[in-house]
Amino acid sequence: MITGGRLAGPTRVLDDGWLAVTGGLISEVGQGTPPEGHQVDVGGALVVPGFVDTHCHGGGGGSFSSGDPDELALAVRAHRGHGTTTMLASLVSDPVHALCDQIAALRELVQDGEVHGIHLEGPFISHARCGAHDPDALLEPDTATVATLLDAGRGDIRMVTLAPELQGGVKAVRQLTESGVIAALGHTDGVEEQLRPAIDAGATVATHLFNGMRPLHHREPGPVGVLLDDERITVELICDLVHIHPTVVHLAAKHAGKRRTVLITDAMSATDAADGAYRLGRLKVNVADGVATLADTGALAGSTLTMDAAFRNMVRGAKLDILDAVHATSAKPAELLGIDDRTGSLRAGLAADIVVLDGELRPMKVLRQGNWVSGVGSEVGTVETATVGQ
């Protein structure tokens, strides 16, 4: 039983709150004097649902593109220590045969329950807005290639990011949605007339809004204007206050509201790890002072952001409410993935995925499915900002 906390519920913060955990589930939530039982008093700390990251490429020195079981485990462990209890493993653009091999390796993590599913960021993206993706790996989304990747996933691919202006883009959106996969629009140079048909076809997510897309212009709203303003679209924001200025985070989150705003890390293998030489997919990356850049061009490449830092930045940097941050890091991404009946909120009957945050909004304790996570608190790194190749 976790007692003496400020519980961030769906609609309000409950002072002097407590919650009971039984068999890996939250069995009861209350306020004031708790019932009898083994108690862990958190001394007034903020208690929030476990974070749900829908866009993450790696961490702790491990990359989800590597296919190496040890690296995959490192990546999961690094983010779990920062409070991420549910995540998608994201892959960058690569030749189709290589992606199929990477998908096969990640499926084992999905089947073991270590990650919720797989996210393909590419290869169906714009050359003009490819960021740190290998331009030689980019493809137009023909039906057969999309089917090959989905078949490799065997139901474990949850989301695919594509540029709708590519030949076959709108058709691919329909193919994905009919297969039960979230179609996300990103790394796009499209104009409004190319975005609208893709949304009508079933696209529901904007991959890291503002980054990797044609910018907003007062005479051409482009992807930013269309995706931010369409009520059918959930917008991802990389809330490191580097990708996006705090004022822009505030404006975007206020306009989209709790119902449509999701924070992501877009983290790569250097997250929660030392500076040095890394890879993002097939591309060499140098990391110095937590900033990742492509070795050959100096372009920003990958993020070292964690979800707890994104939470802090939304509250302290972008000046948004605690409950805005809870919705954006837990409730809404869980809803997006269709698992809000299992996690994403401090409610009885849901998984005991819980993060205890100190006065600086840093994790003190993390509970995942009722089990304490090791490597939290004093062992957790302090990286709060990141950069990415968008």
Side-chain angles (χ1 to χ4, degrees):
M1 191 170 308
I2 296 176
T3 64
R6 298 171 57 237
L7 305 189
T11 59
R12 66 190 180 102
V13 176
L14 198 66
D15 291 327
D16 194 23
W18 55 264
L19 52 83
V21 174
T22 306
L25 300 177
I26 299 171
S27 55
E28 195 174 358
V29 179
Q31 187 176 24
T33 304
E36 294 293 326
H38 175 68
Q39 297 183 10
V40 177
D41 191 333
V42 298
L46 181 67
V47 182
V48 302
F51 303 131
V52 180
D53 190 357
T54 60
H55 190 149
C56 178
H57 296 281
S63 168
F64 287 134
S65 295
S66 69
D68 182 331
D70 292 336
E71 284 201 38
L72 304 185
L74 281 174
V76 171
R77 188 161 59 246
H79 288 281
R80 197 161 289 166
H82 285 275
T84 297
T85 53
T86 304
M87 68 193 310
L88 294 187
S90 301
L91 297 175
V92 292
S93 300
D94 238 339
V96 172
H97 68 86
L99 283 173
C100 287
D101 290 343
Q102 294 162 22
I103 290 167
L106 287 173
R107 286 196 68 248
E108 295 191 22
L109 282 186
V110 180
Q111 298 306 307
D112 290 342
E114 294 299 305
V115 300
H116 176 69
I118 302 165
H119 164 221
L120 302 183
E121 188 180 16
F124 313 120
I125 61 175
S126 165
H127 277 84
R129 303 289 175 180
C130 66
H133 290 249
D134 183 354
D136 293 335
L138 306 187
L139 298 171
E140 292 184 335
D142 63 272
T143 301
T145 304
V146 174
T148 295
L149 292 170
L150 294 182
D151 289 345
R154 300 183 187 180
D156 288 337
I157 294 175
R158 304 284 189 255
M159 181 160 59
V160 175
T161 296
L162 57 81
E165 71 273 17
L166 299 180
Q167 183 174 348
V170 174
K171 187 176 181 180
V173 168
R174 293 196 186 95
Q175 184 178 358
L176 292 169
T177 56
E178 289 170 1
S179 300
V181 176
I182 298 168
L185 305 181
H187 286 282
T188 170
D189 200 41
V191 295
E192 180 170 5
E193 292 74 18
Q194 295 167 316
L195 273 289
R196 294 289 185 195
I199 299 171
D200 292 339
T204 56
V205 172
T207 293
H208 44 53
L209 189 75
F210 299 103
N211 303 115
M213 58 182 62
R214 178 189 291 263
L216 179 70
H217 189 277
H218 58 281
R219 286 191 295 272
E220 169 47 59
V224 174
V226 173
L227 296 170
L228 182 58
D229 206 41
D230 196 303
E231 291 294 318
R232 295 169 290 180
I233 296 294
T234 295
V235 297
E236 294 181 347
L237 299 173
I238 307 173
C239 191
D240 58 2
L241 311 185
V242 174
H243 282 78
I244 315 172
H245 190 280
T247 299
V248 178
V249 172
H250 188 97
L251 288 171
K254 278 294 186 183
H255 186 81
K258 291 180 179 140
R259 196 173 59 83
R260 296 199 296 121
T261 303
V262 165
L263 300 190
I264 60 167
T265 63
D266 200 5
M268 51 88 73
S269 55
T271 303
D272 205 33
D275 288 353
Y278 294 85
R279 284 184 177 272
L280 185 59
R282 293 173 180 261
L283 303 182
K284 294 180 179 180
V285 176
N286 293 327
V287 179
D289 297 326
V291 176
T293 56
L294 289 181
D296 58 349
T297 67
L300 296 173
S303 151
T304 57
L305 183 66
T306 55
M307 285 295 283
D308 62 313
F311 187 103
R312 288 193 294 277
N313 289 338
M314 190 175 199
V315 174
R316 296 191 166 182
K319 307 300 182 186
L320 289 159
D321 187 80
I322 285 285
L323 293 183
D324 290 327
V326 169
H327 276 267
T329 57
S330 300
K332 181 58 192 179
E335 179 188 333
L336 176 65
L337 296 178
I339 56 174
D340 52 324
D341 60 342
R342 287 181 269 165
T343 191
S345 182
L346 300 181
R347 292 188 287 116
L350 272 61
D353 295 338
I354 299 164
V355 184
V356 180
L357 300 173
D358 66 15
E360 298 299 315
L361 300 180
R362 297 181 183 277
M364 298 165 57
K365 298 176 181 292
V366 176
L367 201 64
R368 182 177 187 265
Q369 297 177 6
N371 297 308
W372 294 112
V373 173
S374 61
V376 181
S378 61
E379 299 175 55
V380 174
T382 58
V383 175
E384 289 192 74
T385 60
T387 50
V388 80
Q390 275 25 299

